[in-house]
Amino acid sequence: MGRCAGGGVVVLFPFMARGHINPFLDLARLLSARYPSLCLTLVTTSGNLPLFRRLPHPASLRFAVLPFCPSDHGLPPDADSTFALPPHLVSRIYHAAEASLPPSFRALLMDLLDDEDESSPPLHCLIADMFLAWTVPIAEELGVFQATLYTSGPYAMSMYNSLWISLPHADGRDGDDDEIAVPGLPGVTVRRRQLAPNVRSATSTDNPVSQFVLRQAEFCRRSRATLWNTAEVIEKPYLKLWARSMNQPVYAVGPLFAVASAGARRAATDDYGGLAAECLAWLDERAPESVVYVSFGSQNRMPQEEMLELLAALEKQGRPFLWAAPAADQAPPPEATTGGGGLVARGWVPQAEILAHAAVGVFVSHGGWNSVLESLRFGVPVVIRPMGGEQFCNAKLVTGILGAGAEASGGAEAAAAVAEVMGEGERGREVRRRASEIAAGLAAAVAEANAGGADGMGPSLCALDEFIKSVTM
């Protein structure tokens, strides 16, 4: 890593998961374009460096590499990110990072601080992932301003942390349909059946996941600031609640991906090869708002029985569908499809560009936050079949608060929700109206001053400016 010349150093440190890597790269592109004098350094592990070099990133972005050997932690040797892991091993990489990366990361920060002199720029701040909260005490020790970037929204993270730390359902007195009050979130309840399976089965806060979440929450409470990949237009009450409960500055700077222009999104499709062109050409031949886009993210697997149910129901409805599957077992087997009206894309696809296409009418998703934001930004209603993590919380936000989608617990139920959302009934029309309304709000959140008309610059860009000013003054 060469010496930096510029207006100051900002260090970015994402967790090793595609759903965390992408928002950090979006933030790097935004910072590079908006504050070209800053010197940006992105920290990653040796096994993930090739991925970062392949993905679109600012030419000025420097990479700092930390050693990480997955097999030292009982992981497969190629498990440099969660994408390479089966679901039952995903939590192990969180603990592995916490156990092995702090010494080399501390040494990296010390090297950056040692480089500071009268002729070189200062280290302004560290922006670390919400799952790398162990960076907080290191930054405190070395006198570095540390901010946490949350790649989920405050509604979901408040629920997720509260449920894991308190386990309010663990007394077993509530049935699957009984409402459970979420501690610390006035008026927010959840049904047991809406909990992620690993939360539902947890009976004591002594379990490793609860302990990990508690440590992360305690460290993050000491962050000097929090950045959120969300917008006030959809989560303002929960941003305010987080700021009050944590007593720290809160900046809603998203949706980070949405800052890219349509031209930049199209240019990025080249990185996906011929599959992207095939998908977009297929969509070009479909009627407006007629296509069901199906994708469950980079590491989620819908049970095969559910996939077959969803496939059969969509084919019976006669709806054209585009089913994206980065891994082979994320889509029905080739012999299960009749070829009547769907395209199964086996590999990585440019999801934002697909959701921006006029032919897409609904998104059947696992409910990961990046997917939810992308869908809402383009006014596409979301049918969420949550599978883990905070996806169940995102489903509650989208369906119960924003009114821009539906939740399903299986393949057949998801297909029925698709029919309702795309139909001409009152419910379908209202969901589509809300999705369109939210899309306009999210576009305005990241509007530049010269594109914002009388309203001027969007509040998310204003928040980012405010944050950068606070760390560079």
Side-chain angles (χ1 to χ4, degrees):
M1 186 173 67
R3 195 174 178 84
C4 175
V9 179
V10 173
V11 177
L12 307 173
F13 193 179
F15 183 67
M16 304 101 81
R18 195 67 180 262
H20 294 244
I21 287 170
N22 289 344
F24 267 86
L25 283 177
D26 290 333
L27 177 60
R29 285 188 283 269
L30 177 57
L31 290 172
S32 177
R34 198 163 185 81
Y35 318 101
S37 66
L38 290 179
C39 184
L40 304 178
T41 298
L42 191 144
V43 182
T44 187
T45 58
S46 49
N48 281 302
L49 184 60
L51 169 65
F52 278 100
R53 293 201 183 281
R54 287 198 309 272
L55 294 172
H57 62 270
S60 60
L61 182 65
R62 305 185 309 163
F63 294 101
V65 179
L66 305 181
F68 179 69
C69 182
S71 58
D72 287 349
H73 306 277
L75 296 167
D78 62 343
D80 294 291
S81 74
T82 58
F83 179 67
L85 292 172
H88 70 281
L89 287 180
V90 167
S91 64
R92 191 173 294 181
I93 199 169
Y94 298 103
H95 301 291
E98 187 179 28
S100 65
L101 296 182
S104 56
F105 178 71
R106 184 181 184 279
L108 168 66
L109 281 190
M110 289 185 67
D111 286 344
L112 289 171
L113 291 169
D114 287 344
D115 279 346
E116 292 184 354
D117 56 39
E118 293 182 359
S119 62
S120 64
L123 174 54
H124 285 317
C125 71
L126 159 68
I127 303 175
D129 193 282
M130 62 190 193
F131 286 153
L132 300 175
W134 49 261
T135 61
V136 173
I138 296 174
E140 289 174 339
E141 175 196 351
L142 299 178
V144 174
F145 187 109
Q146 191 272 358
T148 298
L149 173 61
Y150 284 86
T151 55
S152 296
Y155 177 85
M157 284 310 301
S158 296
M159 281 190 68
Y160 181 82
N161 285 350
S162 178
L163 290 170
W164 267 117
I165 293 170
S166 304
L167 296 181
H169 60 288
D171 58 15
R173 290 180 295 173
D174 299 298
D176 280 352
D177 285 321
D178 289 337
E179 290 188 340
I180 302 167
V182 179
L185 287 175
V188 177
T189 61
V190 64
R191 299 183 190 278
R192 184 187 299 274
R193 59 177 169 79
Q194 293 177 305
L195 300 173
N198 58 344
V199 179
R200 194 163 55 241
S201 63
T203 58
S204 168
T205 54
D206 292 334
N207 74 81
V209 179
S210 283
Q211 291 298 306
F212 175 80
V213 172
L214 179 60
R215 286 195 303 277
Q216 298 298 295
E218 289 177 343
F219 283 144
C220 285
R221 186 180 291 274
R222 289 155 50 185
S223 287
R224 302 277 295 277
T226 59
L227 305 176
W228 293 88
N229 188 22
T230 190
E232 289 187 351
V233 69
I234 56 173
E235 294 199 89
K236 189 171 184 177
Y238 306 103
L239 289 161
K240 288 185 173 181
L241 179 61
W242 188 280
R244 287 197 306 270
S245 63
M246 293 293 199
N247 193 30
Q248 60 192 184
V250 166
Y251 301 92
V253 297
L256 288 167
F257 86 93
V259 179
S261 66
R265 288 197 313 272
R266 283 192 293 272
T269 63
D270 294 341
D271 296 287
Y272 295 90
L275 185 59
E278 179 186 357
C279 291
L280 295 174
W282 185 87
L283 287 171
D284 287 342
E285 298 175 355
R286 301 304 180 276
E289 299 183 4
S290 66
V291 173
V292 180
Y293 175 55
V294 182
S295 176
F296 299 109
S298 59
Q299 65 188 61
N300 300 279
R301 271 71 176 165
M302 177 182 259
Q304 187 172 53
E305 180 181 348
E306 286 190 33
M307 284 196 289
L308 295 176
E309 287 176 358
L310 176 58
L311 173 66
L314 292 176
E315 291 183 335
K316 185 176 180 180
Q317 292 176 18
R319 299 189 188 279
F321 63 86
L322 171 55
W323 194 312
D329 59 352
Q330 289 181 306
E335 62 272 15
T337 59
T338 64
L343 173 64
V344 177
R346 301 182 188 276
W348 293 98
V349 300
Q351 180 162 284
E353 190 69 6
I354 287 171
L355 288 167
H357 199 286
V360 176
V362 70
F363 181 15
V364 179
S365 169
H366 62 304
W369 188 237
N370 291 330
S371 293
V372 167
L373 278 181
E374 289 166 356
S375 201
L376 293 178
R377 166 59 188 87
F378 297 115
V380 177
V382 199
V383 172
I384 299 178
R385 168 33 177 119
M387 299 181 192
E390 88 291 7
Q391 297 158 18
F392 295 79
C393 308
N394 293 336
K396 282 182 65 66
L397 176 70
V398 169
T399 60
I401 295 174
L402 300 179
E407 183 177 354
S409 59
E413 191 174 320
V418 164
E420 182 180 39
V421 168
M422 298 184 79
E424 289 307 314
E426 182 179 350
R427 163 79 169 147
R429 290 196 302 270
E430 176 60 16
V431 166
R432 296 195 298 274
R433 185 193 69 79
R434 280 294 296 144
S436 178
E437 188 175 84
I438 291 167
L442 291 177
V446 293
E448 293 285 358
N450 60 1
D455 295 329
M457 188 166 61
S460 290
L461 295 184
C462 290
L464 185 61
D465 285 348
E466 184 182 346
F467 168 73
I468 291 298
K469 183 179 179 180
S470 74
V471 300
T472 56
M473 291 295 287

